[in-house]
Amino acid sequence: MAKFYGKVGFLRNEETAPDVYGEILTERLYKGDVIRNQKRYQSSEGLNDDVVLSNNISIVADSYANENVFAIKYVMYKGVPWKVTNVEIQRPRIILTLGGKYNVQEN
């Protein structure tokens, strides 16, 4: 089983000013295991097929991850942000299933 150490991105709506809400992106480092390492190609409208992962990554969750599990949007894996398509809670771990590439919008 391969080891994992990388960033997990949380996207939450928070009040930035009175009655004004905006999306706040928070990245935190986690460690864990890569349970399944699998990729596939998906046909797209473009010239080349899209790469889609079906990896399962099991991270050791802290209190922040447990409280904000609903806000997990992506995982940085091998230098690329990948969408989290499924989250399974198995305390003290959280199992994340990855999908296609995630487009991170930086401010």
Side-chain angles (χ1 to χ4, degrees):
M1 188 178 319
K3 297 295 181 186
F4 169 79
Y5 182 77
K7 294 179 183 178
V8 175
F10 297 84
L11 189 64
R12 298 177 26 163
N13 287 324
E14 293 183 1
E15 191 171 17
T16 57
D19 295 330
V20 177
Y21 288 84
E23 292 182 334
I24 306 296
L25 179 65
T26 306
E27 290 184 336
R28 295 180 59 107
L29 288 171
Y30 288 95
K31 62 181 176 179
D33 300 310
V34 178
I35 299 171
R36 182 174 69 174
N37 194 4
Q38 185 176 20
K39 74 173 182 177
R40 63 185 163 89
Y41 293 99
Q42 181 175 355
S43 298
S44 66
E45 295 177 12
L47 184 60
N48 297 324
D49 292 341
D50 294 331
V51 176
V52 178
L53 297 184
S54 296
N55 291 5
N56 284 350
I57 295 180
S58 172
I59 62 169
V60 179
D62 59 3
S63 61
Y64 184 86
N66 284 323
E67 292 169 7
N68 297 290
V69 69
F70 62 88
I72 296 174
K73 293 296 178 192
Y74 68 91
V75 172
M76 289 293 286
Y77 181 65
K78 301 210 179 217
V80 177
W82 297 95
K83 288 185 226 177
V84 173
T85 58
N86 189 42
V87 176
E88 182 180 348
I89 301 170
Q90 292 185 358
R91 293 191 189 261
R93 293 184 169 265
I94 296 176
I95 299 173
L96 307 172
T97 303
L98 306 185
K101 290 183 183 178
Y102 183 79
N103 294 323
V104 179
Q105 297 178 351
E106 297 182 14
N107 295 337

